[in-house]
Amino acid sequence: MTTLGEMLKGPSSRSLWERLCPLLEGLDETELAAAATILRSWPPERRPMPDSWWSELLAGGRRPYHASAGTRRLGRLVDVEAARVPAEPDADRDEYEEANGAADEPYEPDEPVAFPYGAAAVAVPSDLRRPVFGAVAEWHHNGGDIVGWSTVASAPPTMYLGGADYHDNPLDIQISPDGGIVAASVECRWHAWSSDGEELWSLDPADLWPGAVADDDGDEGGDDLVGIDVPVRFSFDADGRRVAVGRLRGGPVAVLDARTGHVLAPGPEAGPWDGEGPVALDAAGRLLAHARGSRVVVRDVDVDGGAVLADADTGLVTIHALAMAPDGGGLLAVGADGKDNPAVCSLTLSRSLSPSRTAAGAAILTAAEPVRAGRAPDGMVATDPLSVVTARAVWTADGPLAFMSSDVGDVLFGADGRVLRVTAGASVAAFTPDGRALITVGCADQDEMDPIDVWFLDAMDPADRP
C-alpha cells in the first residue's frame, strides 16, 4: 500500500490531492504540519477545498487540515444573478445547469441583478458567507448593482443599491471586520448599509465642506474607469466603530462613525484635510494613515481634530492602497515605482512611550526603499487606470500583502517582493478583513464566465514559482 509520505513525493496533481484529503483528516498535529509544508509548494489551484471541508469552514468549525487547501471555486457571476449556490462548480455546463435547477425552477428576484460587463469591485467578510459585488456600469442605461450573495444556500440577493438609481461604477466596497457594515461610494456620495441591506447613512462631502471639494465630471485625466467619481477608499477599525474614507485624487480625507456617518475628524469648521486617499486605520481606530502625493501622512484622530504625528516619502510615483499593522507600528504603501512596475514601500512608525496622549510631531515615520514585485505579468503597467482602481493591501498575521491587476493579469506579493500568485487576465479582488483569504472575480478565459474564487493565504507558499 502506498504511504502518505510516498504520495507526497509524487508530482502535484488534482487527482493526487483528492486521494490525499481523507488521509490528511486523520493526521496528528505534527504529521499534518509536515505534510502541509510540502503541500504549500503546490500551486493552490491544484488543492481545491473539498465540499466537506468547505461546509465545516462556513459553519465556523475551522480544522487544522483546512490550511492545506489552496483555493475554493464559489461559482460565477451568473450564480449571483440567479441567487444560487453552485452544486458542482467544476461540472460540465449542462450538468452544472441541471444541478442548479436552472431550467426547471429559475429564481426570479423582485429586483433583478445583472452583471452584463462583469464586476467593478468585490468585498468579502472574514466568515466568507456573504460576499458583496459591484457590477460594472451600463453607461447607456444605469450604474452597477451593489448586491450581497449567499455562499451558504440559494437565497434572494441582498440589494444594497440598484444600478437604476445612479450612473457610476462602484469601484471600492469594504465590509467591516465584524461583517455588520458595508461601505461604498458612487456619484461622489459615501454610503453605508447594515449587512442585511438597510441604509445606515449617505453623505455628500461637498455638503459637509461647501466650496472645498471639487466636483468631478468623469473626464479628469481622460480616465474612463473613474466614471463620475474619483475612486474612493474605505478602511474600518477592528471593531467596525470607525471608518476612514479618502479619494485617490484630491481629497477629502475623513474619519466617520461607521454606524451614523457622523464626522469625527476633521470637524466641518476645520475644512477637509489636505491629502488624498487611500486610507488605513489601526485596530483601535485612533491612528489614520493617508497619502499625499508620494508621501504617507499619519494622524492621531483623537488629538486636536486629527493632528499630524509624522509623514514620510515612500519613493513611489503613486500610491494606490495602504495597510496598517493592527498596533499602528507598521504600514505598507502599494503603488508604482519609477519604471511603472507594481511596487510597495514598508514604513515603520515609532512613537513616544509617554503615558500621556501623544502630541503632534512626537513620532517618527521611517520609509524603506521601494520594492517591486519579483515577478509580474508581461506588459503590466502599474500606473494604468485598472491597476490604480484594483490595487488592494492587507496586514495578515504573517505581515502585509499587496494585490494589483491590469488587463494583462494580476499579481499578489509581499512586502519583500516575493510573489505568491501571478495570473493572466484582468480581475477584481478583495482581502478578508482578517487577512486569511483573497476573493477574486475574473482571472480566467472568457468561457469561464467570470469565475469567483477564494484563495487561502495561509496555504500559499511565499516563494516565487515558475
Side-chain angles (χ1 to χ4, degrees):
M1 179 179 294
T2 304
T3 66
L4 174 65
E6 292 171 335
M7 294 169 69
L8 288 171
K9 293 178 181 178
S12 63
S13 68
R14 290 281 293 271
S15 59
L16 177 57
W17 167 252
E18 291 172 359
R19 294 168 56 199
L20 286 170
C21 287
L23 302 178
L24 295 174
E25 297 176 11
L27 299 181
D28 62 30
E29 183 176 344
T30 301
E31 294 170 330
L32 186 59
T37 298
I38 298 173
L39 289 169
R40 278 195 293 271
S41 67
W42 290 23
E45 57 270 20
R46 294 181 191 169
R47 294 177 283 126
M49 179 170 281
D51 291 345
S52 59
W53 294 14
W54 179 245
S55 297
E56 291 171 343
L57 188 65
L58 291 183
R62 190 178 293 274
R63 304 286 189 265
Y65 46 81
H66 290 172
S68 299
T71 188
R72 171 75 184 186
R73 171 63 54 83
L74 300 185
R76 302 175 176 89
L77 286 179
V78 66
D79 300 307
V80 181
E81 293 176 330
R84 65 190 178 208
V85 175
E88 297 287 345
D90 296 318
D92 174 85
R93 188 65 198 174
D94 292 337
E95 295 177 1
Y96 173 75
E97 294 287 359
E98 182 179 353
N100 281 282
D104 299 330
E105 298 180 6
Y107 177 74
E108 297 182 359
D110 294 334
E111 297 182 84
V113 173
F115 291 84
Y117 304 113
V122 64
V124 62
S126 295
D127 64 11
L128 303 173
R129 295 171 66 89
R130 183 169 287 273
V132 178
F133 302 86
V136 173
E138 301 176 84
W139 289 115
H140 64 286
H141 181 54
N142 58 13
D145 295 333
I146 301 177
V147 298
W149 176 62
S150 174
T151 61
V152 180
S154 297
T158 301
M159 179 66 77
Y160 296 101
L161 192 63
D165 298 329
Y166 70 98
H167 295 80
D168 197 6
N169 280 308
L171 294 174
D172 187 28
I173 303 170
Q174 292 293 326
I175 297 176
S176 61
D178 63 359
I181 299 177
V182 176
S185 176
V186 294
E187 292 186 337
C188 304
R189 295 190 66 89
W190 307 334
H191 298 265
W193 303 269
S194 65
S195 59
D196 60 6
E198 177 188 359
E199 185 169 74
L200 299 176
W201 48 267
S202 175
L203 297 173
D204 187 334
D207 292 339
L208 296 174
W209 297 285
V213 180
D215 293 331
D216 300 307
D217 59 9
D219 295 325
E220 184 175 348
D223 188 348
D224 291 337
L225 284 172
V226 168
I228 293 174
D229 191 10
V230 173
V232 167
R233 292 285 189 259
F234 294 91
S235 176
F236 286 92
D237 67 4
D239 296 328
R241 297 178 300 106
R242 293 179 171 183
V243 60
V245 58
R247 297 195 304 175
L248 290 185
R249 284 200 300 262
V253 176
V255 178
L256 315 176
D257 183 298
R259 186 153 293 277
T260 67
H262 174 70
V263 178
L264 302 176
E269 68 284 352
W273 283 325
D274 175 24
E276 301 167 334
V279 291
L281 285 172
D282 69 345
R286 179 176 176 180
L287 293 181
L288 167 71
H290 67 82
R292 182 184 289 165
S294 64
R295 304 184 72 84
V296 170
V297 179
V298 178
R299 298 176 181 271
D300 191 323
V301 177
D302 293 337
V303 173
D304 297 332
V308 173
L309 292 177
D311 73 303
D313 196 301
T314 63
L316 300 172
V317 175
T318 58
I319 300 175
H320 309 334
L322 284 173
M324 185 181 290
D327 64 1
L331 285 156
L332 185 75
V334 182
D337 66 10
K339 296 184 178 180
D340 277 346
N341 298 303
V344 295
C345 174
S346 298
L347 301 100
T348 303
L349 180 69
S350 57
R351 304 180 65 189
S352 168
L353 298 179
S354 170
S356 62
R357 284 190 167 185
T358 305
I364 298 175
L365 186 63
T366 305
E369 291 295 319
V371 176
R372 72 176 186 178
R375 184 164 51 97
D378 291 340
M380 187 175 194
V381 178
T383 52
D384 277 353
L386 188 57
S387 299
V388 174
V389 300
T390 58
R392 297 292 185 267
V394 71
W395 204 282
T396 76
D398 295 323
L401 293 176
F403 173 89
M404 191 181 297
S405 182
S406 72
D407 57 2
V408 297
D410 63 38
V411 59
L412 173 68
F413 62 108
D416 56 2
R418 289 185 294 175
V419 173
L420 280 75
R421 173 178 177 269
V422 175
T423 68
S427 65
V428 295
F431 294 102
T432 54
D434 64 6
R436 285 180 171 269
L438 176 79
I439 185 172
T440 60
V441 183
C443 257
D445 296 334
Q446 290 299 313
D447 60 3
E448 287 290 331
M449 303 179 70
D450 299 310
I452 305 165
D453 295 295
V454 169
W455 305 84
F456 301 105
L457 300 176
D458 56 0
M460 299 177 74
D461 190 335
D464 288 340
R465 283 188 296 271

